[in-house]
C-alpha cells in the first residue's frame, strides 16, 4: 500500500516561509537540514502536529540546477499562484478563517459555500495559492 508522505512547494525565501507556515498557520518544523556537499542545499519541511504528511518548502532553484531564466520563470509562476495549490482541511472554515486572520494571514477570498463544502483562499509569502476547506462529504460515485 502506498501513502502520501510529502508535497513540495516552491518558495522564494525559506526563512520567511518557515515563519509563515509555523507561526501563522500553526505547523511544526520537521526537518531543517543544510547539505554543504550539495552547495548548501537546504531541506526544509513542516507539517501539522496531528498528521505525518510533510510540506517541503523548496527554494526556487537557480544555477547550477537551472539556468537563471528558468529560475526567473518559476519565481514568476509561484508569485502569481500558478505553481500549484496547497489544500488545508478544517472542521470549521469560518473559525479557522477568523483565527488565521487574527494571526495576520491575508485572505484573497473569504469563506464561501461551494457544492463540496466551505472554503476560503489565501497566498503564502511567496505567492503560492493555499485553500482552506471544510468538506461536507461529497460522495464518490
Amino acid at each position: 500500500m502506498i501513502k502520501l508522505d510529502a508535497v513540495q512547494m516552491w518558495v522564494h525565501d525559506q526563512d520567511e516561509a518557515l515563519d509563515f507556515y509555523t507561526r501563522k498557520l500553526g505547523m511544526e518544523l520537521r526537518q531543517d537540514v543544510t547539505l554543504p556537499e550539495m552547495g548548501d542545499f537546504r531541506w526544509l519541511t513542516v507539517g501539522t502536529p496531528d498528521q505525518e504528511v510533510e510540506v517541503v518548502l523548496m527554494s526556487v532553484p537557480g544555477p547550477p540546477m537551472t539556468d537563471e531564466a528558468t529560475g526567473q520563470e518559476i519565481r514568476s509562476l509561484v508569485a502569481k499562484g500558478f505553481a500549484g495549490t496547497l489544500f488545508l482541511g478544517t472542521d470549521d472554515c469560518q473559525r479557522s478563517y477568523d483565527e488565521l486572520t487574527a494571526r495576520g494571514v491575508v485572505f484573497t477570498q473569504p469563506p464561501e459555500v461551494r457544492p463540496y463544502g466551505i472554503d476560503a483562499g489565501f497566498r503564502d509569502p511567496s505567492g503560492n495559492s493555499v485553500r482552506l476547506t471544510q468538506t461536507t462529504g461529497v460522495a464518490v460515485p
Side-chain angles (χ1 to χ4, degrees):
M1 175 167 213
I2 60 172
K3 66 176 187 169
L4 181 62
D5 279 333
V7 295
Q8 178 256 310
M9 304 282 292
W10 292 115
V11 297
H12 297 157
D13 182 318
Q14 288 179 306
D15 289 320
E16 182 181 42
L18 177 61
D19 182 69
F20 181 80
Y21 282 88
T22 56
R23 284 190 338 101
K24 292 192 176 181
L25 299 188
M27 292 185 180
E28 61 187 19
L29 173 64
R30 299 277 178 79
Q31 298 178 63
D32 187 354
V33 180
T34 300
L35 304 171
E37 66 276 16
M38 295 179 64
D40 288 335
F41 174 81
R42 185 177 181 196
W43 181 254
L44 180 60
T45 69
V46 295
T48 59
D50 57 340
Q51 291 184 316
E52 293 181 20
V53 177
E54 296 180 322
V55 178
V56 181
L57 302 173
M58 187 75 74
S59 181
V60 173
M65 293 177 69
T66 64
D67 60 68
E68 184 53 37
T70 301
Q72 184 57 39
E73 287 180 31
I74 294 170
R75 283 188 285 279
S76 177
L77 290 173
V78 170
K80 294 175 182 175
F82 287 106
T85 299
L86 179 64
F87 293 88
L88 302 176
T90 179
D91 294 333
D92 186 332
C93 190
Q94 183 65 52
R95 181 176 44 112
S96 295
Y97 170 85
D98 293 341
E99 290 173 358
L100 294 177
T101 299
R103 292 182 201 162
V105 175
V106 177
F107 279 77
T108 56
Q109 178 199 333
E112 293 183 9
V113 176
R114 305 282 187 194
Y116 51 85
I118 302 170
D119 82 349
F122 59 93
R123 292 187 179 194
D124 74 6
S126 294
N128 288 300
S129 172
V130 182
R131 304 299 304 181
L132 180 64
T133 305
Q134 174 188 345
T135 60
T136 52
V138 176
V140 177

